């Protein structure tokens, strides 16, 4: 048994075993593969080849058909039985067709190579075989990952169903609390999705963890516009889980703005809504949520994906989720190559109303963001958008204030004083402009 030099072994990406009883053939094959990034092992008969297989992880075997003792067909048949994942190729002459056919039937050959071979063709065949081998391994890995995720979701679902059963028993015992307890039970579905969302965030970099802000936007819009309770619950769960389909991506795709992805990476990105829907199919109570996730990348003019729906063919919840997701991801630099300031992101949404977004829904969404700013993470606090003449001493700034030229005037968290307000008003007069500030009352102050 021979191996390549240590320097080649250190950089090898695959292990290839060459089997032939003629030393000159083995030398010729090794010369052909000298420039290839393989770890090359050799054996001069079938028994020695099997010994090599037991000692080393071999990705591909190239065996001569005619060898004394164990011929190539028998060797490849035994390898197929013991190491089915290993690719198997046979070198054969025109007179060896009977042995070749037996090897195809018993050893399940990937391919046979006729003697005399072409060096370029031989190298190409090995590259294709190893590429196919690697692709199958990756497919099995992804399938195993998907099965594991489905098992995890199924386990969470089973736990949730147990909680539902326990709550139902309690409802039967306390009839006068039926309506209240039933509403709490449905809200627990949303709570369960927060668990899923936290699992998703373990995979995503911190700057790409957008679910919380998207959820705040969707919740505020649903409450402001009195959306149906069922739709509201489905939307909140979709906001928590819409990134589920990105879990199998590598970090390179995760960290790249979507508009900068091309070719295969772009296709991978465009599949994530369908992947997310598929992972939720086993959970019956998330059917509407899964539908919203599938269609949240559709566009009003039909240019979206995955189904190229247009206008009101797109589910209402998906239209709203798409607006919220784009608004946050534009500010995080996840769509364009640069991060958009919040106000610029709102202007872009408004500009795209009627093409990318439902025009009426877009107008209502932008108005909500301007007037209430639920995405600023100030849930439970009284936040107001005021011009300088309505400001009062003691109010606290919740967003940095910049001048028209981009200079920072006041930083977030600054408590306003009468002198500071007066100076700001004089600055407006000098610059012939006006400013709107996002402020809140001090903790403990009445609204």
């Amino acid at each position: 048994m021979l191996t390549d030099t240590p320097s080649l072994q250190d950089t090898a990406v695959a292990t290839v075993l060459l089997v032939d009883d003629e030393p000159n053939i083995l030398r010729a094959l090794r010369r052909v593969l000298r420039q290839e990034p393989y770890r090359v092992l050799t054996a001069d008969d079938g028994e020695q080849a099997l010994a090599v297989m037991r000692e080393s992880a071999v990705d591909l075997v190239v065996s001569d058909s005619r060898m004394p003792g164990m011929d190539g067909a028998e060797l490849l048949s035994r390898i197929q039985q013991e190491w089915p994942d290993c690719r198997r190729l046979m070198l054969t002459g025109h007179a060896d067709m009977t042995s070749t056919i037996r090897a195809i039937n018993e050893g399940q050959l990937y391919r046979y190579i006729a003697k005399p071979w072409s060096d370029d063709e031989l190298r190409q065949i090995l590259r294709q075989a190893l590429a196919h081998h690697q692709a199958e391994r990756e497919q099995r890995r992804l399938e195993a990952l998907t099965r594991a995720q489905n098992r995890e979701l199924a386990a969470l679902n089973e736990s949730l169903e147990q909680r539902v059963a326990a709550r139902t028993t309690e409802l039967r015992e306390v009839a006068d609390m039926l309506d209240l307890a039933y509403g709490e039970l449905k809200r627990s579905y949303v709570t369960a999705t927060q668990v899923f969302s936290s699992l998703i965030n373990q995979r995503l970099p911190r700057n790409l963890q957008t679910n919380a802000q998207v959820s705040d936007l969707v919740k505020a819009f649903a409450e402001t516009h009195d959306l149906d309770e069922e739709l509201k619950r489905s939307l909140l769960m979709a906001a928590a889980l819409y990134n589920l389909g990105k879990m199998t991506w590598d970090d390179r795709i995760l960290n790249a703005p979507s508009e900068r992805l091309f070719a295969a990476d772009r296709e991978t990105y465009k599949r994530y809504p369908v992947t997310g829907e598929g992972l939720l199919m086993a959970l019956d109570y998330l059917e509407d949520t899964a539908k919203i996730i599938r269609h949240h990348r559709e566009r009003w003019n039909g240019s979206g994906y995955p189904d190229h729906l247009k206008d009101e063919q797109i589910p209402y919840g998906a239209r709203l989720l798409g607006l919220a997701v784009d608004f946050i991801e534009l500010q995080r630099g996840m769509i364009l190559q640069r991060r958009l300031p919040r106000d610029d992101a709102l202007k872009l949404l408004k500009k795209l109303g009627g093409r990318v977004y439902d025009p009426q829904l877009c107008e209502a969404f932008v108005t909500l963001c301007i007037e209430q700013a639920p995405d600023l993470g100030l849930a439970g606090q009284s936040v107001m958008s005021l011009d300088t003449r309505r400001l009062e001493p003691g109010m606290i700034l919740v967003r940095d204030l910049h001048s028209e030229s981009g200079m920072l005037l006041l930083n977030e968290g600054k408590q306003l004083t009468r002198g500071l307000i007066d100076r700001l008003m004089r600055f407006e007069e000098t610059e012939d402009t006006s400013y709107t500030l996002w402020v809140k009352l001090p903790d403990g102050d009445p609204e």
Side-chain angles (χ1 to χ4, degrees), residues 153 189-202 204 208-219 232-247 276 280 286 289 292-293 296 321 324-325:
L153 287 171
Y189 291 160
V190 178
T191 302
T193 61
Q194 302 306 317
V195 176
F196 299 164
S197 180
S198 67
L199 292 175
I200 293 172
N201 283 341
Q202 295 301 311
L204 297 174
L208 304 184
Q209 295 174 12
T210 56
N211 304 69
Q213 280 187 292
V214 171
S215 295
D216 287 344
L217 282 167
V218 167
K219 182 179 180 181
K232 179 180 175 181
R233 272 191 293 272
S234 296
L235 268 166
L236 289 175
M237 290 188 284
L241 300 176
Y242 79 92
N243 274 326
L244 186 61
K246 300 178 181 179
M247 294 304 95
L280 299 177
L286 290 180
T289 296
I292 291 172
I293 290 174
H296 79 277
L321 180 61
V325 169

Side-chain angles (χ1 to χ4, degrees), residues 56 79 128 178 196 211 235 270:
S56 301
I79 290 175
Q128 291 174 347
L178 180 60
F196 299 164
N211 304 69
L235 268 166
K270 292 172 71 173

Side-chain angles (χ1 to χ4, degrees), residues 337-380:
Q337 199 167 13
R338 66 183 183 90
R339 297 186 178 192
L340 286 186
R342 184 179 186 278
D343 293 341
D344 289 350
L346 287 172
K347 291 176 183 176
L348 182 57
L349 293 187
K350 196 167 184 179
K351 180 179 179 181
L352 295 177
R355 286 183 291 164
V356 174
Y357 310 113
D358 176 342
Q360 293 184 346
L361 183 59
C362 182
E363 183 69 28
F365 180 84
V366 169
T367 299
L368 171 82
C369 293
I370 293 174
E371 295 180 353
Q372 297 187 26
D375 57 301
L376 295 182
L378 298 166

Side-chain angles (χ1 to χ4, degrees), residues 89-297:
L89 290 83
M90 176 178 279
L91 285 172
T92 179
H94 291 295
D96 299 330
M97 288 310 297
T98 300
S99 177
T100 302
I101 292 171
R102 186 157 63 91
I104 292 173
N105 292 334
E106 297 178 7
Q108 299 182 23
L109 290 186
Y110 174 77
R111 189 161 176 180
Y112 71 88
I113 304 168
K115 295 179 180 177
W117 65 79
S118 161
D119 290 352
D120 289 339
E121 182 181 7
L122 177 62
R123 284 190 287 265
Q124 184 62 25
I125 289 172
L126 264 63
R127 291 169 189 160
Q128 291 174 347
L130 289 168
H132 189 249
H133 180 251
Q134 180 61 30
E136 286 191 347
R137 277 186 175 177
E138 180 64 9
Q139 180 180 350
R140 287 194 296 272
R141 185 189 71 80
L142 293 176
E143 288 174 349
L145 177 62
T146 300
R147 287 194 297 271
Q149 290 174 335
N150 282 337
R151 286 194 297 270
E152 185 176 358
L153 287 171
L156 288 170
N157 185 39
E158 181 179 356
S159 173
L160 182 60
E161 289 175 349
Q162 292 172 356
R163 291 168 58 195
V164 170
R167 180 63 73 184
T168 301
T169 300
E170 181 181 344
L171 291 174
R172 292 193 183 103
E173 296 173 351
V174 190
D176 58 342
M177 295 293 292
L178 180 60
D179 292 338
L180 178 62
Y182 183 62
E184 181 63 29
L185 175 61
K186 288 192 173 183
R187 285 192 294 274
S188 73
Y189 291 160
V190 178
T191 302
T193 61
Q194 302 306 317
V195 176
F196 299 164
S197 180
S198 67
L199 292 175
I200 293 172
N201 283 341
Q202 295 301 311
R203 174 68 179 90
L204 297 174
R206 180 173 295 277
N207 65 307
L208 304 184
Q209 295 174 12
T210 56
N211 304 69
Q213 280 187 292
V214 171
S215 295
D216 287 344
L217 282 167
V218 167
K219 182 179 180 181
F221 190 94
E223 292 175 349
T224 303
H225 293 78
D226 295 324
L227 297 189
D228 175 81
E229 284 298 317
E230 292 294 335
L231 174 58
K232 179 180 175 181
R233 272 191 293 272
S234 296
L235 268 166
L236 289 175
M237 290 188 284
L241 300 176
Y242 79 92
N243 274 326
L244 186 61
K246 300 178 181 179
M247 294 304 95
T248 58
W249 291 1
D250 59 37
D251 291 344
R252 176 177 54 81
I253 301 179
L254 277 175
N255 287 285
S258 61
E259 292 302 318
R260 302 294 297 176
L261 296 174
F262 300 99
D265 290 344
R266 181 65 178 169
E267 290 305 312
T268 297
Y269 178 88
K270 292 172 71 173
R271 285 195 299 271
Y272 91 83
V274 177
T275 303
E277 178 199 35
L279 292 172
L280 299 177
M281 287 180 63
L283 306 175
D284 293 339
Y285 68 87
L286 290 180
E287 181 179 355
D288 291 339
T289 296
K291 185 176 181 181
I292 291 172
I293 290 174
R294 178 185 180 91
H295 296 298
H296 79 277
R297 286 301 183 189

